């Protein structure tokens, strides 16, 4: 059964279902406009501790459940860099992609799903061998991907067709396609797996999908050109970056009602990630070339801006152990 787990993070400790004791890893930020780099932030001090050279135009980033590797999609290079989180060195580069952008890793750590924006498909990476698996045709312009906590489904946004494709991760086939319209971009799934939240970049809103039947739920109004989205580990709040509004919208996931709008972040916030204990959210400001930290208890900014590389885009923090790997 599920055993209590103590997660040690800068904000204290939290008990969640799972099977491991988790210590928060560094925060990884992809710098799209830099000459191919990832900035590494120590969440204990909120300082930049390393800059890791990767391929050109890095976009997405995901950390394995065992916390030993960070996988980075290099949009311009058509590759994925694998970083050893112990020493922040690239240990291998996987080629064979076409404009790879979004990436998500299954809870058991055996597969990574990578969206290929220019070739309308998703490519599977077998972990830890880092060999390429099936190519799954999606259509449109696939952007980002999220995997259900039980690992059985991957949800992929396709901006060009206004759809979300649902992949069965057992046989890597598309089981259904959901029309959400509004130029879907970012996606996040609640810790209980019941709802997927999709940012609609062209509609200034978030679309709710009920995963049980893959039916559409409410549409939530947020700021202008919403891109990134992250949900707290307890599943109670969602945070959405509004690229053109220079803000983060916060809403209650039980009622889908707005809680607050956080401003003063910087210019063009895009990627966002929340620490495993849920106390901090890290926001990449694409034009300001920095990262801001949000205290999720008060929904206020804390500390100064953390300067990173040029064009910060994606952000990854410690994944949650749902279920225990």
């Amino acid at each position: 059964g599920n055993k209590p787990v103590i997660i040690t993070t800068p904000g204290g400790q939290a008990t969640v279902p799972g099977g491991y004791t988790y210590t928060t890893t560094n925060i990884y930020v992809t710098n799209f406009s830099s000459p191919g780099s990832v900035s590494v932030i120590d969440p204990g001090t909120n300082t930049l501790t390393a800059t890791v050279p990767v391929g050109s135009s890095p976009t997405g980033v995901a950390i394995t459940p065992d916390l030993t590797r960070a996988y980075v999609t290099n949009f311009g290079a058509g590759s994925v860099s694998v970083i050893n989180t112990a020493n922040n060195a690239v240990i291998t580069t996987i080629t064979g992609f076409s404009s790879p952008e979004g990436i998500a890793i299954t809870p058991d750590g055996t597969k990574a799903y990578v969206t290929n924006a220019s070739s309308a498909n998703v490519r599977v990476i077998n972990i830890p061998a880092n060999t390429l698996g099936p190519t799954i045709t999606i259509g449109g312009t696939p952007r980002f991907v999220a995997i259900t906590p039980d690992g059985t489904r991957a949800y992929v946004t396709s901006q060009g067709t206004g759809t979300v494709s649902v992949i069965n991760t057992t046989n890597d086939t598309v089981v259904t396609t959901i029309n959400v319209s509004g130029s879907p971009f970012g996606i996040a799934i609640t810790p209980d797996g019941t709802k997927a939240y999709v940012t609609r970049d062209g509609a200034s809103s978030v679309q709710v999908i009920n995963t049980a039947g893959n039916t559409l739920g409410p549409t939530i109004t947020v700021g202008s050109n919403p891109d990134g989205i992250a949900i707290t580990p307890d599943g109670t709040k969602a945070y959405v970056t509004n690229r053109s509004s220079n803000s983060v919208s916060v809403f209650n996931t039980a009622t889908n009602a707005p809680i607050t709008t956080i401003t003063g972040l910087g210019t063009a916030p895009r990627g966002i990630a929340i620490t495993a204990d849920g106390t901090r959210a890290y926001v990449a400001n694409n034009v300001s070339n920095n990262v801001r930290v949000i205290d999720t208890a008060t929904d206020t900014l804390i500390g100064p801006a953390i300067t990173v590389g040029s064009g910060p885009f994606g952000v990854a923090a410690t994944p949650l152990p749902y279920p225990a790997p």
Side-chain angles (χ1 to χ4, degrees):
N2 287 333
K3 297 183 291 184
V5 176
I6 298 299
I7 299 178
T8 305
T9 66
Q13 294 181 329
T15 301
V16 299
Y20 279 139
T21 298
Y22 265 35
T23 300
T24 294
T25 62
N26 292 320
I27 308 299
Y28 288 82
V29 181
T30 60
N31 299 309
F32 186 85
S33 303
S34 292
S37 73
V38 172
S39 294
V40 184
I41 297 170
D42 180 348
T45 60
N46 284 331
T47 56
L48 183 70
T49 59
T51 300
V52 185
V54 290
S56 63
S57 304
T59 307
V61 56
I63 300 170
T64 55
D66 66 4
L67 313 185
T68 64
R69 301 288 186 266
Y71 283 68
V72 178
T73 58
N74 302 308
F75 187 88
S79 65
V80 171
S81 298
V82 183
I83 298 172
N84 182 336
T85 58
N87 59 10
N88 290 318
V90 173
I91 57 173
T92 191
T93 300
I94 309 165
T95 58
F97 302 92
S98 176
S99 302
E101 187 166 6
I103 184 168
I105 297 172
T106 54
D108 65 3
T110 62
K111 290 181 178 180
Y113 288 78
V114 178
T115 63
N116 288 296
S118 64
S119 57
N121 63 41
V122 170
R123 199 71 194 266
V124 179
I125 300 172
N126 298 306
I127 300 173
N130 291 324
T131 56
L132 290 180
T135 299
I136 307 164
T137 300
I138 296 295
T141 311
R143 292 297 189 192
F144 288 91
V145 55
I147 297 173
T148 54
D150 64 5
T152 63
R153 297 289 187 270
Y155 284 68
V156 182
T157 60
S158 290
Q159 196 169 30
T161 53
T163 58
V164 172
S165 298
V166 184
I167 297 170
N168 180 329
T169 58
T170 300
N171 57 19
D172 291 325
T173 59
V174 175
V175 294
T176 192
T177 301
I178 308 162
N179 183 18
V180 298
S181 71
S183 193
F185 196 78
I187 186 166
I189 297 174
T190 53
D192 64 5
T194 61
K195 290 185 283 188
Y197 287 86
V198 180
T199 61
R200 301 166 79 222
D201 183 80
S204 299
S205 62
V206 172
Q207 177 65 60
V208 182
I209 297 173
N210 300 306
T211 59
N214 290 317
T215 57
L216 296 181
T219 300
I220 305 162
T221 300
V222 290
S224 181
N225 296 120
D227 276 1
I229 182 166
I231 298 171
T232 53
D234 63 6
T236 61
K237 295 162 76 174
Y239 289 73
V240 178
T241 59
N242 304 306
R243 185 178 78 254
S244 297
S245 298
N246 299 325
S247 64
V248 169
S249 297
V250 186
F251 61 85
N252 183 311
T253 56
T255 63
N256 294 318
I259 295 173
T260 191
T261 299
I262 304 168
T263 58
L265 293 154
T267 306
R270 303 210 72 169
I272 184 168
I274 297 175
T275 54
D277 69 348
T279 63
R280 302 286 186 267
Y282 286 75
V283 180
N285 293 301
N286 186 252
V287 175
S288 297
N289 299 331
N290 60 34
V291 170
R292 292 305 307 264
V293 185
I294 298 170
D295 181 335
T296 58
T298 60
D299 289 326
T300 56
L301 296 174
I302 58 173
I306 306 166
T307 300
V308 290
S310 178
F313 195 103
V315 186
T318 304
L320 281 171
Y322 292 133

